[in-house]
Amino acid sequence: MKTTLNLGVVPTPKSGFNFTVDGLGELKITSSGLSLKAKGKSKENKITWQKISIIA
C-alpha cells in the first residue's frame, strides 16, 4: 500500500508534525528526519533526511 500526503504550504511547528498511525504507532516528521515509535515499544527508530537521500 502506498499513500501520498501533500501538505502544500503549511507553517511547520518547531517540533515538527506528529501522526498516530492505527496499528503501527506514532510517526514524527521533523526538520532533521523521520522517527517511528512502534505501538507498545519503548525504542524509537529514526532516520535523517541525509540518509534517506543517499538510499533513494
Side-chain angles (χ1 to χ4, degrees), residues 8-19:
V9 179
V10 177
T12 306
K14 287 186 180 184
S15 61
F17 292 101
N18 296 330
F19 298 96

Side-chain angles (χ1 to χ4, degrees), residues 8-53:
V9 179
V10 177
T12 306
K14 287 186 180 184
S15 61
F17 292 101
N18 296 330
F19 298 96
T20 301
V21 181
D22 290 342
L24 187 59
E26 185 176 335
L27 174 68
K28 294 180 183 178
I29 303 173
T30 64
S31 60
S32 61
L34 302 172
S35 65
L36 176 68
K37 184 173 180 185
K39 199 176 210 179
K41 303 284 182 176
S42 60
K43 186 177 177 184
E44 194 173 65
N45 296 309
K46 297 179 181 181
I47 187 165
T48 63
W49 294 116
Q50 183 180 13
K51 286 183 182 177
I52 292 172
S53 70

